[in-house]
Amino acid sequence: LASGHHVVILFPSHDTEPELLEVMDIEPIATSCFGKADGEASIMIRGGAPPYTVDLPGANIQGGTILLAGLEGKDYMLTITDANGCEIPVIFIVDSPLPLEVDVRIEKTACPGESNGALIALPTGGFGPTQSFPKFFRIYSNTCHVFGG
């Protein structure tokens, strides 16, 4: 360069690296019943180069938030990919209640030829306490009457 005043024009480089693609938070929501695919998950990500994709059909991607709905109660191992092909694994669990089961026991055996037996039904499984149990059943002439609570 010759001596004197010179004008230098700087252009931004298009070769800059985006921020590291990372998962900020995962918020799974459990299913309401055993075997029901109504669980959800919200995954917050940042960095990388939008737009993002996830290897689960039906994902709703809104900026850095990925909303997943209609999930079964199970472990999930997904991959989030940005526009540059950078990938990050995502692992989370959608909880599900245990199957609701009822243990029915003979409380009082019916006398031969009579309809005076009694059963007790005790539920197990599910989320939280079950309501209105135990229930007592009396058998009268091939009909069942529920009482107690």
Side-chain angles (χ1 to χ4, degrees), residues 20-22 53 55 78-82 84-90:
L20 180 65
L21 179 62
E22 58 185 331
T53 60
D55 59 347
L78 305 176
T79 302
I80 296 173
T81 307
D82 73 0
N84 292 331
C86 296
E87 298 179 340
I88 187 166
V90 178

Side-chain angles (χ1 to χ4, degrees), residues 12-80:
S13 171
H14 295 289
D15 295 332
T16 59
E17 292 290 321
E19 285 184 48
L20 180 65
L21 179 62
E22 58 185 331
V23 174
M24 300 306 299
D25 191 26
I26 302 172
E27 296 178 11
I29 299 174
T31 63
S32 62
C33 296
F34 178 79
K36 189 169 185 179
D38 65 350
E40 299 177 3
S42 176
I43 304 169
M44 279 65 75
I45 55 175
R46 77 170 181 192
Y52 307 105
T53 60
V54 61
D55 59 347
L56 185 71
N60 181 359
I61 303 171
Q62 301 174 1
T65 302
I66 299 174
L67 303 170
L68 307 171
L71 301 178
E72 298 175 23
K74 67 178 189 175
D75 296 0
Y76 286 86
M77 296 175 60
L78 305 176
T79 302
I80 296 173

